[in-house]
């Protein structure tokens, strides 16, 4: 009997506008940056927050997602909170930022800065 390996889907889905924003960020990234990383540090009144930062070295526990504009990393310790999420970049007349559709979030604070799982 042989074993069949299938490609594992990415922990998070990036919309085309999120991928474009990553490309824009990488185009003006500080020297030494190898990509952009999403993590969920403990912060805010609900417990966890989304944080997107430049990364200068790969962590073997992070999930790496190749995008047309550069590599996107998901923090290894945050993956379980983000599986099945969609990350979008939204701009309007008054604000711009990444927006997350996270099926694992059970609640959020009133200001929208943090979430619970």
């Amino acid at each position: 009997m042989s074993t069949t390996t299938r490609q594992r889907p990415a922990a998070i889905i990036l919309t085309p506008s999120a991928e474009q924003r990553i490309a824009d960020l990488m185009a003006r990234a500080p020297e030494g940056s190898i990509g952009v990383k999403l993590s969920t540090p403990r912060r805010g009144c609900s417990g966890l927050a989304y944080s997107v930062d430049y990364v200068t070295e790969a962590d073997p526990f992070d999930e790496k997602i190749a995008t047309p504009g550069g590599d996107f990393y998901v923090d290894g310790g945050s993956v379980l909170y983000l599986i099945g999420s969609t990350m979008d970049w939204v701009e309007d007349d008054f604000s711009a930022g990444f927006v997350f559709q996270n099926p694992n979030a059970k609640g959020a604070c009133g200001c929208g800065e943090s979430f619970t799982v």
Side-chain angles (χ1 to χ4, degrees), residues 18-29:
E19 287 184 347
Q20 181 58 54
R21 180 61 180 168
I22 291 167
D24 295 345
L25 289 170
M26 290 307 297
R28 62 176 190 266

Side-chain angles (χ1 to χ4, degrees), residues 52-78:
V52 179
D53 301 290
Y54 290 109
V55 63
T56 56
E57 62 183 59
D59 182 323
F61 294 105
D62 291 348
E63 177 154 340
K64 179 180 171 182
I65 301 170
T67 72
D71 290 333
F72 180 73
Y73 295 85
V74 179
D75 176 66
S78 301

Side-chain angles (χ1 to χ4, degrees), residues 78-92:
S78 301
V79 169
L80 289 177
Y81 306 126
L82 298 168
I83 290 176
S85 296
T86 300
M87 180 173 149
D88 193 12
W89 176 258
V90 177
E91 291 183 44
D92 63 25

